[in-house]
Amino acid sequence: MNRKRVVIAGLGDTGVLTAIRLARRFDVVGISLNPGLVSGQELGTRLARPDDWARNYWIAFDRFRELDRVRTVHGTVTGVDLAARTVRVRDANGSSREEGYDALVVSTGVTNGFWRQAVLQSAGDVGAGLRAAHERLASARSVAVIGGGAAAVSSAANIAVRWPGIRVELYFPGEHVLPHHHWRARKRIEGRLAAAGVTLHPGHRAVVPDGFDCSAITSEPVSWSTGQPPVQADAVLWTIGRVRPNTAWLPDELLDDGGFVRVTPELRLPGHDGVFAIGDVAATDPLRSSARNRADGLLARNVAAYFTGGRMRSYRPPSSRWGSVLGVQPDGLEVFAPNGLAFRFPAWSIERVLQPWIVRRGIYRGVRPGNRPIVTNG
C-alpha cells in the first residue's frame, strides 16, 4: 500500500515541528526558503548575541534526526492547483517543478522586519544578515526601539544588557508594554527593562509613511502621531508588528481581508479537503496563536484523521500570550505561563538541561551535534 504524501509549504519553527510529527506515518515533502531552520524566535538574542542565537535557532535540516525521512526542497512556493492537488515550486537554481500531494499544510508564515522575510536565502545570506544587524547596533551610541510587543521588549532589553554604554529607549503607543500578555508578566518585564537601563516612553505612536520599509534599521528622525516632538537616534529598530502574510501564492478565496489563511477550528481550510494551515499565517484567532502553542501535534492528528476518516480535534487558543519574552539572560531564562506567573530556568541549566534534553531531544526528538559560527566582534 502506498503511503500518503503530505507537502508542507514552509519549514520555519512550526513547519519543522509539523514535519517531525508527520514523517513517521507519511511521505513528507517540506519546502523551505532557507537551507535549514532559521527561527523567528528570540529577536533580542539574535541582535545582541548572534553566535549564541545561531547555536540554538539556526539549525541545518540534516541535523534533525526525525527529518531524515523528510525530503526537503530549497525553493519558493509560487502557486497551487487545488483541483490537481499540486503546488508549484521554483528551486534555488531557478528551475520550476510541481509537487503532488494527498494533503497540504500551509505554514509559510509572515514577513515581519529584517528577521523574517519571504526571500530565498543561502547559508551565507543568513550569516551575513546576522552579522550586519549586530554590527549596526554595536556601533551605535543611541538606539530607539519602536513598538511594545515581545520583539520590541526583547530587543531593547538585550541590547541594553549587551552594550551598557548605549542609550536604549523604548517607544510604544499604549500605557504598558506587552498588551497581549497577562498583567503580571507586563509588570515583571517592565521592572526588568528598568533594571537593564532601558528608558520607557508610553503613549508614543510612530508615524509610518506609506510605503515605508520597516525591515531596515534606520537613523532618520521618528515623528509621532500622538503629538510629541520627533526623536532621533543612531539606530532605530522598527518592531511595530506590521506583519504581512506570505500568501501571494494562494488564491484570494482562501484568505481573509488581511491576507491570512481562513481555517476552521480543526485548522482545515473550509471547503477544501486535505488542506490545512498552521502558524502565523493561519487566521485561528486575533493573535494567530497556533504559532506559539504547539498546535503541531493537534494538526498531525487531524491530518491522520483526514486519511482514516477519524474524528478531528479543535484548536483552542489561550486567552493570553505566554512563553519566554526576554530570552536567556545572565541570571537564566524566565518562561511565563498564561496566568502571568513565571518559571525560571537557572543559567547553569540552559546548556546542560533545557537545550540538550527538553528542546533538542524532547521537542525536536533528536538533533545531531554541530554549530554554525557567526564570528562577531562587537
Side-chain angles (χ1 to χ4, degrees), residues 133-276:
H134 173 80
E135 292 168 2
R136 176 78 170 80
L137 294 169
S139 64
R141 293 171 298 176
S142 59
V143 173
V145 181
I146 315 300
V153 166
S154 172
S155 299
N158 280 279
I159 292 168
V161 170
R162 176 65 181 83
W163 296 291
I166 295 178
R167 187 178 77 251
V168 181
E169 307 199 52
L170 178 62
Y171 299 87
F172 49 97
E175 184 178 354
H176 297 282
V177 298
L178 302 177
H180 301 300
H181 283 69
H182 193 279
W183 66 266
R184 293 191 187 98
R186 289 199 297 269
K187 182 177 179 181
R188 173 66 176 165
I189 291 300
E190 287 178 348
R192 296 295 298 262
L193 288 166
V198 177
T199 303
L200 305 184
H201 297 277
H204 284 65
R205 185 176 295 278
V207 175
V208 184
D210 291 340
F212 177 73
D213 183 8
C214 294
S215 68
I217 298 176
T218 63
S219 57
E220 290 75 21
V222 180
S223 298
W224 313 101
S225 63
T226 40
Q228 298 89 350
V231 165
Q232 187 162 19
D234 293 338
V236 179
L237 186 63
W238 295 84
T239 49
I240 58 177
R242 182 168 285 194
V243 302
R244 300 192 306 276
N246 300 324
T247 54
W249 60 282
L250 290 170
D252 290 342
E253 61 265 24
L254 304 183
L255 312 177
D256 66 10
D257 292 341
F260 297 92
V261 181
R262 300 180 189 273
V263 291
T264 69
E266 297 78 26
L267 304 180
R268 305 174 71 182
L269 274 64
H272 296 280
D273 287 343
V275 185
F276 301 81

Side-chain angles (χ1 to χ4, degrees), residues 8-17 19-20 30-41 46 53-64 67 70-75 92 107-108 115-117 119-127 130 364 367 371-372:
I8 301 176
L11 288 179
D13 293 295
T14 309
V16 165
L17 291 170
I20 287 172
I31 304 167
S32 174
L33 290 166
N34 296 305
L37 171 63
V38 181
S39 175
Q41 300 181 59
R46 174 173 175 157
W53 181 89
R55 185 167 57 250
N56 296 318
Y57 295 100
W58 178 14
I59 306 172
F61 291 137
D62 60 8
R63 289 182 56 201
F64 292 96
L67 293 187
V70 176
R71 178 163 60 86
T72 58
V73 178
H74 186 200
S107 58
T108 42
W115 62 97
R116 289 197 288 183
Q117 297 191 62
V119 295
L120 195 68
Q121 296 190 102
S122 67
D125 295 331
V126 176
L130 291 173
Y364 290 127
V367 178
N371 62 349
R372 190 183 300 275

Side-chain angles (χ1 to χ4, degrees), residues 4 22 32 76 96-97 329:
K4 298 295 186 180
L22 290 169
S32 174
T76 304
S96 294
R97 60 200 282 184
Q329 299 297 299

Side-chain angles (χ1 to χ4, degrees), residues 90-130:
R90 185 172 61 250
D91 289 344
N93 62 12
S95 61
S96 294
R97 60 200 282 184
E98 289 189 345
E99 293 286 350
Y101 63 82
D102 296 300
L104 171 65
V105 177
V106 179
S107 58
T108 42
V110 296
T111 294
N112 182 18
F114 57 85
W115 62 97
R116 289 197 288 183
Q117 297 191 62
V119 295
L120 195 68
Q121 296 190 102
S122 67
D125 295 331
V126 176
L130 291 173

